[in-house]
Amino acid sequence: MMKTSTLRSVLKAASFCFSILWSIYSLAQTDPSSDLVYDFSEPSSVESWEFLSSGYPDSNVQISHENGSLGLTPSWRANDYVFTTTPLNATYDFSQAKVHGAVKFDEKFFTLVYDDFESSLARATVVLVDTDGRWALGEFHSPVPENKSEFSTFTFLQGEDSLVYADPGFDMTNVNAFGMGLLSINYDIVAAGLAQFDDITIDFDGAAEESTALIDFPVYVSGWEHNHIARLWSTSKKGNKGKFSIFYNDDNTYGQNLEIYQNLPRTVNFTKGQISFDLLLPSTFGTIVNAIGVVLVDSKGNRAETYTLNAPNMLFGTTMNIAIDDLSRNKFISMDPDFDLAKVRSILVELRLPSENLTISGQVVFDYFHLQVHPKFEKNFFNPLRPSPIPADVLYPQVLLDDVPPNYESLHEFSVNNNDVVANLNWQDAEAEIHLSHFWERPVNLSSLEVTQRFYVPPREAESGMSLYLKLVDINMDEVEIPLATLDGGNTRGWTVVKFSSADLPDDLNLNYINEYIIIIKRNATYGHAGAFRFNPPAFSITR
């Protein structure tokens, strides 16, 4: 039987990863193709349902018939669970089963949490019990506050791959009891009311009949990282795919494996996802690489090994393809107990070497590194991180040179005054541009925003010939420059405000993941002292 502490950690993780992921469908007539239907039309239909288990010894649940639905009223505490089941009176194979159900929660199941955000205090799930009494749980769902007065229909199970938890040895092909469970969310408030279930349908071939096209997830070009045994490397992109080359030149391993990471811009739900890439190992590695491992690392550093290729099956001096076509927990080679597949932060490819120090040379190339995710996980396609105000003192100044003359020393002076960057410019011939840059370690989402940039041009420099631009750079190093001013004698002098909408930017810039904001001052033909320019940090606002 499953351990309570392990189950509670699984339930807790599932509750948080679902806090903003939900889908509501209009309640339709029961599908006539379903193999089993629970419509609870008669009071006697709930008599076979009984309490199965809970998270604490004093927890329980009252089972009732409520206006044509199954009613569950739990007696529990925060971060608790209660399960109910009914016998199936036969043994069924649920490995390709699809389970739908309609759910409605009492008003007491909802509360205001941070920033006036209303949330449900509980989640619902499917419970399966096999012939040996082992349990498994389907996906977690609950009505959203906007729809809490009505039933909402969810898919709780889409075959074996959608299981959230299964006892060791659980047999999906020999299930003889089925039920519904409730999980209490730990908001320090306990849901104390009625949960209703209706029109529960089971289609034993439903998952097998579906083929859902996966969606490409962009490979993060600046997200490549390695354990720096090599001193040189390069990276590039090809659409949503990526290429990374590492150049080893008589480098010492000191008994380490070679570790190469693709760090994602934020956590990603890889359930049912896919990973593939081409890998070229030099011929010189043929006698030293023992195995290749592909490991997923979640937001807390927990690991799950998804793929291993041992030396006899590897190719050297020619490209081999590595493909993991089903990222499901039940197919992993090994996994830390608290690993969260819904919050993957990086993908590690590990070249496993002997434990003694080796000197290695050769080029390792990852090419067509391709990530795909399931379309039902909506958060994978929207970055929730919006830009916070940028203090002036983090707009980092950098002078770009056409060439580096002997004994070169910059004559520009930069300071911060009243949250303005003050740039006292003094140009030299070798200099081309000045950048005032801010780099977001975690990419921000600029879609549906208006950007305001305010700056001051000294009046006597209005005819200097300099030009001012903004540059935005996304995670794939795609960039766009937005003109601010050309100092050719026009009206740009004193304080100027430039606004632009993200909707007007080119489509090939990924506004969902912007890494860098740069104010550019181009020298053009200006020489010598150019006075004091002032730049406010940018302001970001929702497009009206």
Side-chain angles (χ1 to χ4, degrees), residues 157-172:
L157 189 72
Q158 295 190 77
E160 187 170 12
D161 292 343
S162 65
L163 290 180
V164 172
Y165 178 86
D167 268 342
F170 173 78
D171 188 353
M172 195 81 165

Side-chain angles (χ1 to χ4, degrees), residues 29-225:
Q29 295 290 325
T30 302
D31 186 350
S33 67
S34 299
D35 295 297
L36 295 176
V37 178
Y38 298 89
D39 61 10
F40 306 107
S41 58
E42 300 295 332
S44 59
S45 62
V46 305
E47 292 177 358
S48 64
W49 289 73
E50 59 184 18
F51 172 69
L52 176 68
S53 185
S54 64
Y56 294 94
D58 58 346
S59 302
N60 210 318
V61 61
Q62 177 183 337
I63 302 171
S64 59
H65 185 259
E66 301 288 339
N67 297 320
S69 68
L70 170 70
L72 302 181
T73 305
S75 172
W76 56 1
R77 64 189 77 184
N79 206 26
D80 196 358
Y81 61 90
V82 291
F83 296 153
T84 64
T85 57
T86 183
L88 292 171
N89 300 319
T91 300
Y92 293 98
D93 182 351
F94 271 75
S95 57
Q96 296 293 343
K98 175 180 283 188
V99 178
H100 291 290
V103 182
K104 184 169 74 170
F105 286 168
D106 186 86
E107 176 75 29
K108 295 178 181 178
F109 273 68
F110 299 89
T111 187
L112 286 176
V113 290
Y114 60 91
D115 296 334
D116 295 329
F117 171 72
E118 190 174 19
S119 177
S120 169
L121 290 167
R123 307 280 184 259
T125 187
V126 163
V127 183
L128 306 178
V129 184
D130 71 11
T131 52
D132 289 325
R134 294 168 297 210
W135 299 345
L137 305 178
E139 297 176 354
F140 295 90
H141 296 283
S142 66
V144 294
E146 292 82 358
N147 199 55
K148 59 188 175 185
S149 63
E150 301 176 1
F151 276 95
S152 299
T153 300
F154 300 101
T155 300
F156 289 99
L157 189 72
Q158 295 190 77
E160 187 170 12
D161 292 343
S162 65
L163 290 180
V164 172
Y165 178 86
D167 268 342
F170 173 78
D171 188 353
M172 195 81 165
T173 66
N174 284 289
V175 175
N176 65 357
F178 169 85
M180 302 303 299
L182 289 171
L183 161 70
S184 172
I185 308 304
N186 190 10
Y187 280 138
D188 297 325
I189 305 171
V190 178
L194 174 68
Q196 293 173 260
F197 298 87
D198 200 4
D199 289 329
I200 299 172
T201 63
I202 303 173
D203 179 355
F204 290 118
D205 294 320
E209 294 170 358
E210 285 196 353
S211 58
T212 302
L214 300 180
I215 296 176
D216 288 336
F217 189 88
V219 174
Y220 189 10
V221 173
S222 54
W224 289 105
E225 184 184 343

